[in-house]
């Protein structure tokens, strides 16, 4: 490794460290290829995510997660991060895992967390553990599980058009409330009127309908 045209050794403490605390004139950017410093972490406590880099499976520093630096992982999984609210910016793998990473808990109350697959897998983000995935992550082009099962064509399907979705088994295909917009584009009937605006206004409809007068229904004769 070169530093000021001199060879210096790569020690454990020079791999996957928090570079923003380093001096530009002292020890910042040891390697010509800066990303090499942030891969193959020798200290397990510094591992952030696991991925392929130039076709080889390795680890990437936790300090590079959601930094939007130059792509390190071949699939750029380290930068799959979302602004869920004004106060919350997290990696997608921190969502729907039963742990509150945001002060407003939006990472656990987001609409996609209401529809999880039954099977659990180990997410690629370190310490996310083996947890269930949102169904919207199935076959979306991004491997979220270490073993890649979320991208295998093994999941039964249900619905057509906007309500097309992956389900746990062929017996779970039920009617849904279709949204005029939004993701995932529908609400399971069991989740209607739950206070979470998946469609943007369905809870307002619930309030108005419940406060309205009783409606007499009938079946027209043929």
């Amino acid at each position: 490794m070169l530093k000021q045209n001199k060879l210096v050794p790569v020690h454990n403490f020079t791999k996957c460290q928090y570079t923003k605390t380093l001096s530009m004139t002292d020890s910042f950017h040891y390697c010509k290829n800066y990303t090499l410093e942030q891969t193959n972490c020798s200290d397990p406590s510094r591992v952030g995510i696991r991925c392929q880099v130039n076709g080889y499976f390795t680890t990437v520093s936790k300090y590079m997660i959601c930094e939007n630096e130059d792509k390190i992982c071949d699939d750029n999984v380290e930068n799959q991060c979302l602004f869920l609210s004004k106060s919350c910016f997290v990696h997608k793998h921190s969502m729907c895992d039963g742990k509150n990473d945001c002060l407003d808990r939006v990472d656990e109350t987001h609409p996609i967390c209401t529809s999880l697959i039954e099977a659990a897998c180990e997410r690629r983000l370190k310490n996310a553990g083996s947890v269930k995935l949102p169904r919207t992550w199935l076959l979306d082009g991004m491997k979220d599980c270490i073993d890649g099962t979320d991208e295998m064509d093994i999941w039964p399907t249900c619905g057509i058009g906007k309500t097309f979705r992956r389900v746990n088994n062929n017996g779970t295909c039920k009617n849904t409330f279709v949204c005029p917009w939004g993701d995932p584009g529908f609400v399971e009937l069991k989740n209607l009127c739950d206070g979470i605006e998946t469609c943007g206004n369905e809870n307002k409809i619930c309030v108005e309908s419940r406060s309205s007068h009783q409606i007499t229904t009938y079946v027209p004769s043929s």
Side-chain angles (χ1 to χ4, degrees):
M1 182 173 66
L2 290 175
K3 178 187 175 186
Q4 297 178 349
N5 297 321
K6 295 181 180 180
L7 286 174
V8 295
V10 179
H11 297 293
N12 285 351
F13 62 83
T14 65
K15 294 284 288 183
C16 305
Q17 62 177 320
Y18 188 53
T19 57
K20 290 186 178 180
T21 63
L22 303 180
S23 168
M24 289 291 290
T25 58
D26 182 18
S27 54
F28 190 79
H29 286 194
Y30 286 99
C31 305
K32 284 186 175 181
N33 185 351
Y34 164 61
T35 60
L36 293 179
E37 299 174 36
Q38 301 300 326
T39 64
N40 195 25
C41 305
S42 52
D43 182 352
S45 67
R46 296 178 182 176
V47 174
I49 205 162
R50 293 156 288 184
C51 66
Q52 286 194 337
V53 176
N54 297 325
Y56 294 94
F57 189 79
T58 186
T59 57
V60 172
S61 167
K62 63 183 180 182
Y63 302 118
M64 300 306 295
I65 306 301
C66 299
E67 287 297 315
N68 289 317
E69 300 283 351
D70 293 337
K71 183 178 74 171
I72 298 179
C73 297
D74 292 347
D75 59 0
N76 200 30
V77 66
E78 73 276 17
N79 289 317
Q80 300 304 307
C81 308
L82 303 165
F83 276 106
L84 299 180
S85 67
K86 291 182 179 180
S87 62
C88 182
F89 180 64
V90 295
H91 192 276
K92 64 176 290 191
H93 289 172
S94 294
M95 297 178 64
C96 316
D97 61 355
K99 303 174 184 177
N100 294 325
D101 297 283
C102 305
L103 293 176
D104 55 8
R105 299 182 61 251
V106 68
D107 58 304
E108 297 303 314
T109 59
H110 191 278
I112 68 171
C113 299
T114 63
S115 185
L116 305 178
I117 62 175
E118 291 180 359
C121 78
E122 185 177 359
R123 300 183 184 184
R124 293 167 65 188
L125 187 71
K126 181 174 169 54
N127 295 328
S130 182
V131 292
K132 297 178 181 179
L133 298 181
R135 287 197 182 98
T136 56
W137 292 2
L138 299 179
L139 282 93
D140 64 351
M142 173 64 67
K143 289 184 178 179
D144 299 294
C145 302
I146 286 290
D147 59 8
T149 52
D150 57 300
E151 293 303 308
M152 297 179 183
D153 195 12
I154 58 177
W155 305 95
T157 63
C158 180
I160 58 174
K162 291 187 68 173
T163 64
F164 177 84
R165 59 200 185 279
R166 307 285 170 178
V167 293
N168 293 318
N169 55 68
N170 292 324
T172 59
C173 192
K174 300 179 180 179
N175 290 331
T176 59
F177 180 85
V178 180
C179 304
W181 55 77
D183 182 22
F186 62 90
V187 184
E188 301 282 355
L189 294 184
K190 64 182 178 66
N191 294 326
L192 271 178
C193 308
D194 59 359
I196 300 175
E197 297 289 8
T198 304
C199 290
N201 67 344
E202 76 271 18
N203 287 282
K204 180 179 179 181
I205 296 173
C206 292
V207 172
E208 292 183 355
S209 65
R210 289 177 177 178
S211 62
S212 62
H213 297 291
Q214 183 176 356
I215 300 174
T216 302
T217 62
Y218 69 97
V219 177
S221 58
S222 55

